[in-house]
Amino acid sequence: MVMPDARRVHEAACGRLLALQGENGAWEGEMEWSTMILSQYVIVLHILERPPDEPERQAILRCYRTTRTAEGGWGMHPQAPPSAYATTLAYVALRLLGTGPEDPLTAGARQWLHAQPGGVRAVPQWGLFWLALLGLVPYRDVAPVPPEMMLLPPWVPLHPGRLLGWTRMLYQAMAYLYGAKFRADLGPVARDLRRELFAGPGLGAGAPGAGNTDVYVAGGRALRLSQWCLRGWEKVHSRRLRRAALERCHRAVVDEQHASPHHGLSSVNALVECLVLYAHDPKHPLLEDAVSRLRYWCWEDGDRGLRVCGDRSTVWDTSFAVEALLSAGDGAGRAGPALGRAHAFLRAAQITTYTGRVPPLRTVRHGWAFSDGHSRWPVGDCTAEALSALLRAQDAAGPGTPGLGGAALHGALDVMLDRQNPDGGFGTLDRRRAGTWLEALNPTEMFAGCMVDTSSAECTGSVLTALSRMRPLLEPAARRRAARATARGVAHLRAQQNHDGSFSGTWGINYTYAAFHAARGLRAAGVPADDPALKALGRWLQETQLEDGGWGEDWRSCLEHRYIPLDRGLPEMTAWAVMAGLDTLGPRHPVVEKGVHWLCAHQQPDGSWAGGHVNGVFFTTMMLVYRLYPVYFPAMAVGHYLRALAGPTAATATNTVVAPDDTADPGEPA
């Protein structure tokens, strides 16, 4: 029988989770990306004349040694081949750290770079921007980032305020540095870097070479025309207008520093914003706080050294850890005290105020960020997952636990509904502010889907789940708003389903991740398991199960937009598929039982599962490793399986809410 094994596995997994809880009641695992951000960190500290001390320097070097590929370079994520962009930045950072040109780290990297088509000259535009800041290439080789765009009226379609939140926050900082033509004074090492990096004559950056894996988004005619116009503008722009534009960008960066507080929306934002403050005034009153807060983004241990993560995932990890602990439906049990602390953390992490000078439009309400309560930027699906976890923990803890007040509950509803797009789906930081045509003007070359905050299956599924759980607690008018949003969200997921029954992911790897969120959201919205959409998804799960009983998806499926299986199962992907299978096929289906058997057989002695494989994605091309995904997602899957075996009432209690009489049934086809 599976039940005894599954019960033991779930208890061991919960024990591991409880051991990982922090003193503040939260869970957080490293969100590993690439040495790219570490290199930028080293470069920025050097420019600001605040080099790392010797222990920190040694920890940074340890990271470069442990992440170098067999070819001698560095990739854009732990499983990627060498990247000209990441390797170039790493080479510069190593030289600034005092590593000699003939050191094995630098010599191997230089040899690999020189062997690539185009060499360093072929790095994408984001890399050229950093090389221009360092004075290693001229600004004329960088795609224009004119600060005058910030002076356009907000209604203009090309205003930077219409960009996706992460992109627009970065634009305002990059535009300042580009408009001021800021160049760092590297001293004698600049001459050495030019000689070492550029093997051919000249210092200009030529066209990307054939076979350059960093260039994922090739610019089309519209982009080339717009850049030609902007380069012309650089030759004739008004100095007075430029000064006004630079001041507008500077004020925007200052406001973000006040709102963060002082650590920016992400690590990349934080680093570039430090340079803006320094370029504006080397004695800027906010600079010391901004530099000191850079450590907020760092992870360090003895084995792998010091890394800089792309973001902190405290609220995100805590929400899913709570769900995992309660997934079996048998109450809080020994997890009661831990759930109480997690409940207190999540309540305190809700964003209730804006600490910047001018609250931005449609952004500041009572939601949750991806990281913690210090960020002022609530995210749609993070708000949904935090709210779902809070309500589950509140129910499990009993009547003595303080609940969310009406203002907090309805404020969270406003955050989620504010991010519902015209197509009925949900985005992240904003509602979509421009048409998808804006993606045609993407100048980055290495990121995709970074211009517009479009809907995703994952965000939509998360919000549908949260709306179903909160609707009974809402006032009648708010309940009707939630019901209408639910119906539109269901219609969006139906419209986005692929012909083979799968869903395309945006923030995870990829079709497997989307399957979990889509099935979960549809079932929570009241769509029955025998609905054609869910039956089609169930067939897709059957077809993609591997011979070992698990599911494993290659990260290249994000780049190629097609499902690419691995030759073995992975714990987080198997967990996602099992949970989607429970919502579509049922707990006694052989496909689901084989998946649960796989999870039971692959649990490690400490109660977790082997991790390290990329499992997240950012802007299509940037793969991430969420270190806690192989801990709480398998625990959730096994717990949901146990709950489903206990009976239909227990199995559906937290996943399905029947639509109220004041709206059409969201389970009906649109």
Side-chain angles (χ1 to χ4, degrees), residues 275-543:
L275 292 180
V276 170
L277 299 176
Y278 179 81
H280 188 267
D281 179 3
K283 298 182 180 180
H284 198 290
L286 298 181
L287 183 58
E288 288 302 323
D289 283 338
V291 174
S292 66
R293 288 292 283 169
L294 291 178
R295 291 291 301 188
Y296 172 82
W297 304 105
C298 294
W299 286 77
E300 184 176 355
D301 56 49
D303 295 332
R304 296 188 295 143
L306 186 145
R307 293 89 65 197
V308 181
C309 62
D311 206 341
R312 303 294 296 267
S313 55
T314 324
V315 164
W316 187 251
D317 285 335
T318 302
S319 300
F320 282 113
V322 168
E323 293 277 0
L325 291 171
L326 293 170
S327 58
D330 49 5
R334 61 172 174 154
L339 290 169
R341 294 193 298 272
H343 185 275
F345 168 81
L346 287 173
R347 286 190 66 205
Q350 188 175 20
I351 300 164
T352 57
T353 59
Y354 180 73
T355 55
R357 298 180 300 175
V358 182
L361 181 65
R362 296 203 322 265
T363 297
V364 182
R365 290 188 177 94
H366 290 49
W368 281 265
F370 184 69
S371 54
D372 53 36
H374 297 296
S375 172
R376 299 293 98 187
W377 303 104
V379 184
D381 57 339
C382 299
T383 296
E385 296 298 347
L387 183 65
S388 293
L390 267 171
L391 294 179
R392 290 289 310 279
Q394 187 172 307
D395 290 343
T401 305
L404 283 175
L409 192 68
H410 288 81
L413 175 68
D414 287 341
V415 167
M416 291 184 289
L417 298 192
D418 182 65
R419 284 142 180 81
Q420 189 167 31
N421 287 319
D423 62 8
F426 291 83
T428 54
L429 280 177
D430 305 289
R431 186 182 305 157
R432 197 180 72 200
R433 297 184 174 200
T436 54
W437 59 265
L438 197 57
E439 296 292 344
L441 300 180
N442 176 3
T444 65
E445 297 185 333
M446 58 190 304
F447 308 127
C450 64
M451 302 293 280
V452 181
D453 203 340
T454 54
S455 303
S456 71
E458 301 100 304
C459 291
T460 304
S462 291
V463 173
L464 290 179
T465 302
L467 292 177
S468 76
R469 291 180 180 174
M470 72 189 300
R471 267 161 57 186
L473 306 176
L474 297 173
E475 297 174 353
R479 193 180 307 136
R480 287 191 291 272
R481 291 175 61 209
R484 289 192 294 270
T486 296
R488 293 179 60 212
V490 169
H492 171 77
L493 286 177
R494 291 186 185 280
Q496 293 302 308
Q497 190 170 23
N498 298 317
H499 293 302
D500 62 358
S502 67
F503 291 86
S504 301
T506 302
W507 302 102
I509 313 286
N510 172 350
Y511 298 91
T512 324
Y513 187 63
F516 157 60
H517 282 285
R520 178 176 176 237
L522 289 171
R523 293 290 286 124
V527 178
D530 60 356
D531 181 89
L534 291 174
K535 289 177 69 176
L537 179 57
R539 288 193 296 272
W540 180 83
L541 291 168
Q542 295 179 64
E543 294 167 359

